[in-house]
Amino acid sequence: MLPVNKIAHRLCFMMSRTLYITCCCGCCSALRPRYKRLVDNIFPALPQDGLVKSNMEKLTFYSLSSPEKLDRIGDYLFQKASRDIYRRRHGFVIIAMEAMDQLLLACHSQTLNLFVESFLKMVQKLLESTDPQLQILATQSFVRFANIEEDTPSYHRRYDFFVSKFSAMCHSNHTDKPTRDSIRLAGIRGLQGVIRKTVSDDLVENIWEAQHMDKIVPSLLYNMQGAEKYETVSCLESETDTREGIEEPPKLAEACLRELVGRASYGHIRSVLRPVLTHFDRHELWLPCDFAVHIFKIIMFSIQAQYSYSVVEALMQHLDASGGGSGTRVRAARATVLSNIVAIAAGDSVGPSVLEIINNLLTNLRASVARDSEKESDERLYQEALINALGEFADHLPDFQKIDIMMFIVSKIPSGRGKPTKADCMLQSILLKSLLKVGTTYKTTELSKAFPAAFLEALLRVSSTSEARTRALLQRILHTLLDRRANAPLLLVPTVQYEKLGLTVEKCSRPDLIFISKHGHAIFSSLYEGLQLESNTAENISAIYTTLSLLAIELASEETVCDMLQLILAIQQSAISNPVLSTAQQCQLHAITVALAALVPHVLALPPLGDYIKQIIEARREEAEHMLPPLSDDYDVSPNKLPNKLPYLMIDQMALGECLKACGIEPSRLQTASPYSGGTAVGLAHRHSWVEAGATQGRDSLADISAGPVTELDSANSSPGVQRQTQYDALDEEYRMFIEKYNYNHRPSMPHFGTYRTDNEFWHWGHEDAHAASVHDARTSLVFVSVSISFDHVFLDDFSTFSSHFSHPTQSENVSLEALRRAASGPSEAERRDAERRKVSLNNTFRTAPFDHLLHITQPKYEIQDKLEEIFNSISEEPLLPIGAGSPAGKTQNQPYTKYLTELFLY
């Protein structure tokens, strides 16, 4: 054992050492810098007690008084927090972070940048820890820092770590769902803070670079795709503070994406869209397309309006770039997304951007047609999606741009001439579907605006294509553009019972009458020729019926009724005389003819005409129901019930004229020659020429020129402006029998069929006064022929035969003194006025009619050389008329050399 004195000495030494150390520490503490003492004093003895507020106020006051100490205060707090993190004393770490937040919010001096560096290092230190609580705490501090507007920019601050760390937190896979959601929410809020801090300051790091967007955008999309359902609104319904108020990762991610897109300028839009498209491709999120539609709608609603076109352009470029590399269903889904967002951009797209979008869509359609698809149904889905996109885009454009788009689409349709390939037919059909989609969005006010001349010409050109389905599709386009009163659905099926349909009919406007006067011939001729095709189905004929019905309703006027009835008669005649039509097609044409004829008095309130058509309908219902609607694809008709065997059930031209006259409408234009080509129209001649007026096919002699049933043997026939009044007596019947006997020009006789007419295509052009073509009294012809010197001897000789025939004793009693007096007195004042009116009409025709029409009606049916050879070959043959009674062969040999000039030289 140690002696007592030694023990006492050692105790004294220990006490003195302890006292020395305590005194030294106290002295050293007093010598430490004041900022460190103030920082130390904010920490309590126990972390549960929290921050010492009184001491924190002293530290804050000191920081405001000595801002140059801020950087040292921040660095010292960072050192203390780092030691506490290492020792896992998280309570003191939270106190240090809280102290830094308060200093950051309280101080706004120019030296704050140095303190911020320490603050960001401390936030980074907390984010690097594995404790979710510290990560969330650091994120909250960073968000508060991001909301502070700094007076001076920082040139050296970087946020690479924060973008990467917050993006990683957005993809947290923590096993505990509440903790996982908390970490993801913290990560999204952190990204939102980075965006707010960097996007408004051009001097800091460029957040729009690909290295940052490739992390931020996919992180937001990853959280959004986990939503149970997608509800897209055009804008946030309230000004909710998204920093703290939203507790669901999908909704907060959506709010962050909206903010990101909304802050993007024109040059930065592609930086956001590129990672969006890449994310959808990599993770195969296009199918189903609900999520893709939701995301792109959010982008369209959030982006600045003037930049919305860029989104559509980027998506279409992505569609082009993928081409056939992606699956057809994926491409169809992309096109569906495009169709859902393109309407949003349409309102702000003007000028070239509109046609550029349309051109891109049409280019993709053509590529789809040319592409060999493994599954046609999938390729069809892709095409339908593109067509829907086209229609949605056009729906939000003004009407004048819709017309431009339709004209642009029509210009891309392959020509229907020749034998089209399968690809051309498919492209025609698809482009017409696109045109129909755009047409359904257009509201027609005036026909002249809906059908510009170039557009109408292109449509009529397509109507001659060989594909029956394509022609039916074109008729649907016409229905859409013509129907202004929702009558088209009621007229899809031919009928004669219009009283039950409830059609809406209004008086035709003057601009529409002007339009039809200019383009009516082209429209009616195209529809007429469309009915003459051998490939027509019941659908085609029914579609043309609907078009004609809409024209009759939209152009209901006394000025157009004759044109419509003339077309109806031409269709009826073609159903009898066109050899390429089958029996079913003939029956179908007769059915729509009577249906259209029944519609005319219904829309114009013409009771006499309506009664006449009802009589025909009743007669057909008793004897030939196959000549009435509805249409059928197959008809079982006996030979004796064929339409050409039932002439008494046809619509009669003279009867129509009498009905119109009873209604107070001048029927003269109805009695003119039909302007419709094809050799099956009512009219006989194709052009106005007195040389050909009497010529018919199959003649072998110049005697044929004067032998036609429509020729008047007087000098007036050489002058188009001269008109003769119709007079009927027994001589007319003798003249008809004479013509049939010697020229074999048999015409079907019906009750009240009508007299022979002078073919003349000029008098019905436009809506000028038409002349009533008829055969003049034979006695008047006798007087005028005796004084005429303009006709050839052939005509005179033939007429001498005709007159000698009429001088037979059995017929002499039919010639009265009054008839001879009328014949000798010459034309009456009314005849001269009518002749002058015809002359004015002829001159006006050459001034106003299109050149193509003039060329068509003045074009000869044969070459002069061919006709001369035909005449030379027939010289040795026996003439049609006897030598003694007709024109001698010797006299006819010199006449063919006369060169006749067309009436075109009149103008």
Side-chain angles (χ1 to χ4, degrees):
M1 294 182 63
L2 293 174
V4 176
N5 56 350
K6 290 184 177 181
I7 295 174
H9 178 71
R10 182 169 291 185
L11 289 172
C12 292
F13 174 77
M14 293 176 65
M15 291 175 62
S16 61
R17 184 176 178 82
T18 303
L19 181 61
Y20 172 77
I21 293 173
T22 303
C23 292
C24 285
C25 289
C27 294
C28 291
S29 177
L31 295 175
R32 298 178 69 191
R34 186 181 178 186
Y35 75 89
K36 287 187 177 182
R37 283 181 287 151
L38 291 173
V39 171
D40 291 336
N41 291 336
I42 66 175
F43 290 94
L46 297 174
Q48 293 82 0
D49 297 337
L51 183 66
V52 180
K53 295 184 178 179
S54 58
N55 292 337
M56 186 64 212
E57 292 176 357
K58 295 177 182 179
L59 178 61
T60 303
F61 179 76
Y62 176 77
S63 301
L64 293 173
S65 303
S66 303
E68 69 277 1
K69 300 295 184 179
L70 269 175
D71 58 332
R72 299 182 183 181
I73 294 172
D75 187 64
Y76 185 59
L77 281 172
F78 170 71
Q79 292 177 8
K80 290 180 70 65
S82 298
R83 288 196 300 266
D84 292 334
I85 292 173
Y86 179 75
R87 296 170 183 174
R88 295 185 180 277
R89 297 194 299 183
H90 294 169
F92 290 108
V93 176
I94 294 173
I95 293 173
M97 196 72 250
E98 184 179 355
M100 290 195 103
D101 290 341
Q102 292 189 20
L103 289 174
L104 192 65
L105 295 174
C107 301
H108 297 282
S109 66
Q110 295 181 353
T111 57
L112 189 62
N113 276 333
L114 299 176
F115 176 76
V116 169
E117 293 299 323
S118 301
F119 171 80
L120 293 179
K121 285 194 297 182
M122 188 168 180
V123 171
Q124 179 176 344
K125 194 72 175 179
L126 267 64
L127 290 174
E128 289 175 345
S129 67
T130 57
D131 189 351
Q133 185 180 4
L134 293 183
Q135 294 179 2
I136 295 172
L137 177 65
T139 303
Q140 294 172 351
S141 298
F142 182 84
V143 171
R144 283 191 286 270
F145 160 70
N147 293 327
I148 297 175
E149 296 182 2
E150 300 183 54
D151 297 332
T152 57
S154 175
Y155 301 97
H156 58 280
R157 196 179 302 161
R158 297 187 62 84
Y159 296 94
D160 297 15
F161 169 79
F162 297 102
V163 172
S164 300
K165 184 60 181 179
F166 291 141
S167 299
M169 292 171 64
C170 291
H171 292 82
S172 174
N173 291 322
H174 200 280
T175 54
D176 183 49
K177 187 179 185 304
T179 303
R180 180 173 67 248
D181 290 345
S182 299
I183 295 175
R184 290 187 178 184
L185 285 170
I188 296 171
R189 291 194 178 100
L191 291 176
Q192 197 173 29
V194 173
I195 294 170
R196 291 177 179 174
K197 199 63 181 175
T198 57
V199 77
S200 59
D201 194 348
D202 295 335
L203 298 176
V204 299
E205 184 177 9
N206 187 6
I207 196 66
W208 303 107
E209 292 181 357
Q211 58 181 346
H212 300 313
M213 286 291 108
D214 288 344
K215 299 174 184 177
I216 295 175
V217 174
S219 300
L220 299 177
L221 296 178
Y222 177 76
N223 284 274
M224 294 176 66
Q225 70 192 52
E228 295 180 357
K229 61 179 181 179
Y230 310 110
E231 296 180 359
T232 311
V233 293
S234 60
C235 60
L236 293 178
E237 297 178 358
S238 63
E239 296 296 331
T240 306
D241 187 1
T242 57
R243 291 170 291 174
E244 301 292 343
I246 299 178
E247 298 298 334
E248 297 180 8
K251 291 185 178 180
L252 184 59
E254 178 180 334
C256 185
L257 181 63
R258 288 179 181 272
E259 185 174 354
L260 175 65
V261 175
R263 291 175 179 268
S265 63
Y266 180 77
H268 298 146
I269 295 173
R270 296 300 181 93
S271 301
V272 180
L273 296 177
R274 183 185 51 78
V276 171
L277 297 172
T278 304
H279 182 77
F280 276 94
D281 289 340
R282 288 178 178 176
H283 299 278
E284 299 179 354
L285 298 177
W286 293 107
L287 292 173
C289 62
D290 296 343
F291 179 63
V293 171
H294 174 63
I295 293 299
F296 277 93
K297 279 188 175 181
I298 288 175
I299 294 175
M300 293 297 295
F301 288 139
S302 304
I303 201 172
Q304 300 180 43
Q306 64 270 27
Y307 304 149
S308 58
Y309 165 71
S310 300
V311 182
V312 177
E313 187 180 29
L315 187 55
M316 286 194 298
Q317 289 180 356
H318 187 67
L319 200 62
D320 295 338
S322 60
S326 304
T328 307
R329 289 186 176 273
V330 173
R331 285 187 284 108
R334 292 171 183 163
T336 303
V337 174
L338 182 62
S339 65
N340 280 272
I341 69 169
V342 73
I344 305 173
D348 300 295
S349 298
V350 294
S353 63
V354 174
L355 290 182
E356 186 176 352
I357 291 177
I358 299 300
N359 189 40
N360 286 338
L361 291 173
L362 296 180
T363 300
N364 281 280
L365 280 172
R366 286 197 297 269
S368 175
V369 173
R371 189 182 301 115
D372 292 329
S373 176
E374 296 179 0
K375 297 181 179 179
E376 269 188 36
S377 57
D378 294 344
E379 195 68 34
R380 221 174 286 121
L381 290 175
Y382 174 61
Q383 295 167 3
E384 291 295 334
L386 289 176
I387 293 172
N388 290 334
L390 187 62
E392 289 294 333
F393 181 75
D395 190 21
H396 293 75
L397 293 174
D399 284 346
F400 73 92
Q401 286 188 327
K402 293 176 184 177
I403 291 294
D404 292 340
I405 291 175
M406 288 192 285
M407 293 180 66
F408 186 75
I409 295 174
V410 169
S411 67
K412 302 293 183 180
I413 298 178
S415 175
R417 298 177 180 177
K419 188 176 181 181
T421 62
K422 182 179 180 181
D424 288 341
C425 294
M426 290 180 61
L427 185 59
Q428 279 183 348
S429 177
I430 290 174
L431 291 180
L432 286 176
K433 288 180 181 179
S434 305
L435 187 62
L436 177 62
K437 193 70 176 181
V438 178
T440 54
T441 67
Y442 180 77
K443 303 299 181 184
T444 304
T445 55
E446 295 182 5
L447 295 181
S448 57
K449 295 180 180 179
F451 295 97
F455 180 51
L456 179 62
E457 182 182 356
L459 285 179
L460 298 182
R461 183 179 66 250
V462 178
S463 65
S464 62
T465 183
S466 59
E467 283 291 321
R469 292 183 179 179
T470 304
R471 296 197 302 272
L473 194 56
L474 178 66
Q475 296 302 321
R476 290 179 57 192
I477 296 171
L478 294 177
H479 302 166
T480 302
L481 296 177
L482 287 172
D483 187 23
R484 291 176 289 188
R485 302 173 180 88
N487 290 320
L490 306 175
L491 296 170
L492 294 178
V493 179
T495 181
V496 294
Q497 299 176 348
Y498 294 102
E499 296 80 5
K500 301 179 180 179
L501 297 182
L503 299 173
T504 303
V505 182
E506 297 179 9
K507 186 177 180 181
C508 182
S509 63
R510 186 62 186 170
D512 289 345
L513 286 178
I514 295 175
F515 169 81
I516 203 63
S517 68
K518 292 181 179 179
H519 306 291
H521 175 74
I523 295 174
F524 288 153
S525 295
S526 176
L527 296 175
Y528 172 82
E529 292 172 1
L531 291 171
Q532 311 307 312
L533 300 177
E534 187 178 3
S535 59
N536 277 340
T537 62
E539 180 186 6
N540 293 113
I541 295 178
S542 180
I544 295 180
Y545 156 79
T546 305
T547 305
L548 290 171
S549 300
L550 291 173
L551 286 171
I553 293 175
E554 298 295 334
L555 302 171
S557 172
E558 294 182 358
E559 299 181 32
T560 59
V561 62
C562 289
D563 296 331
M564 181 59 67
L565 292 177
Q566 192 176 46
L567 176 62
I568 291 173
L569 292 173
I571 297 173
Q572 176 180 264
Q573 182 64 23
S574 69
I576 299 175
S577 57
N578 191 347
V580 303
L581 299 180
S582 63
T583 301
Q585 290 171 335
Q586 293 177 8
C587 296
Q588 291 164 359
L589 290 185
H590 283 292
I592 68 166
T593 299
V594 73
L596 292 171
L599 178 63
V600 173
H602 177 77
V603 299
L604 285 176
L606 305 175
L609 181 60
D611 294 340
Y612 172 68
I613 299 301
K614 287 181 181 178
Q615 292 176 6
I616 294 179
I617 294 173
E618 292 300 326
R620 290 188 181 185
R621 189 170 284 123
E622 293 178 1
E623 298 189 40
E625 289 190 0
H626 54 277
M627 297 173 64
L628 290 174
L631 306 186
S632 175
D633 292 325
D634 188 19
Y635 288 86
D636 185 12
V637 183
S638 59
N640 59 338
K641 291 292 183 179
L642 292 176
N644 56 358
K645 302 294 184 180
L646 305 171
Y648 52 90
L649 294 180
M650 303 300 169
I651 301 174
D652 185 58
Q653 183 181 20
M654 288 299 298
L656 291 181
E658 293 298 329
C659 292
L660 292 180
K661 189 178 297 183
C663 297
I665 300 176
E666 175 59 40
S668 57
R669 198 159 66 246
L670 180 63
Q671 298 173 358
T672 61
S674 174
Y676 305 105
S677 60
T680 57
V682 178
L684 298 178
H686 293 273
R687 72 187 192 99
H688 177 72
S689 174
W690 62 271
V691 177
E692 283 193 278
T696 55
Q697 295 181 359
R699 305 301 181 190
D700 296 326
S701 171
L702 279 181
D704 303 334
I705 296 177
S706 61
V710 295
T711 304
E712 290 184 29
L713 303 180
D714 58 4
S715 60
N717 199 37
S718 62
S719 301
V722 178
Q723 173 73 19
R724 293 287 179 264
Q725 297 295 328
T726 304
Q727 300 180 10
Y728 303 99
D729 55 19
L731 292 178
D732 294 323
E733 182 63 20
E734 279 294 318
Y735 177 69
R736 183 183 65 80
M737 295 174 60
F738 172 77
I739 293 298
E740 292 181 0
K741 178 179 180 181
Y742 289 97
N743 294 282
Y744 307 98
N745 187 16
H746 177 70
R747 295 173 61 92
S749 60
M750 303 181 188
H752 311 292
F753 179 80
T755 58
Y756 299 100
R757 306 177 306 279
T758 301
D759 291 89
N760 192 325
E761 290 196 2
F762 290 137
W763 315 128
H764 64 268
W765 176 258
H767 292 281
E768 305 294 337
D769 293 332
H771 77 287
S774 60
V775 177
H776 188 53
D777 187 90
R779 295 156 300 181
T780 307
S781 299
L782 177 62
V783 175
F784 277 88
V785 170
S786 63
V787 298
S788 175
I789 59 174
S790 61
F791 273 70
D792 296 330
H793 294 288
V794 176
F795 287 87
L796 296 177
D797 292 337
D798 287 341
F799 189 78
S800 63
T801 304
F802 168 69
S803 59
S804 63
H805 179 78
F806 273 83
S807 61
H808 194 276
T810 60
Q811 302 294 339
S812 59
E813 65 273 15
N814 293 328
V815 182
S816 63
L817 181 62
E818 183 63 27
L820 290 175
R821 185 181 294 111
R822 287 198 306 268
S825 63
S828 64
E829 184 64 26
E831 290 177 337
R832 283 193 290 271
R833 285 198 304 270
D834 190 66
E836 185 65 26
R837 194 161 50 245
R838 291 176 58 197
K839 185 182 298 182
V840 172
S841 176
L842 176 62
N843 292 332
N844 185 59
T845 298
F846 278 108
R847 290 189 179 94
T848 60
F851 181 75
D852 292 341
H853 180 73
L854 295 176
L855 187 63
H856 168 71
I857 60 181
T858 57
Q859 183 179 3
K861 289 186 290 187
Y862 49 77
E863 296 293 339
I864 294 179
Q865 182 179 358
D866 297 338
K867 191 62 179 178
L868 289 176
E869 292 180 356
E870 178 185 348
I871 293 172
F872 292 152
N873 293 333
S874 62
I875 289 176
S876 59
E877 298 179 4
E878 182 180 358
L880 290 177
L881 297 178
I883 297 300
S887 59
K891 293 185 178 181
T892 62
Q893 293 178 4
N894 298 326
Q895 299 305 322
Y897 300 100
T898 304
K899 183 176 182 181
Y900 299 106
L901 301 180
T902 64
E903 284 78 358
L904 186 61
F905 289 92
L906 175 64
Y907 178 68

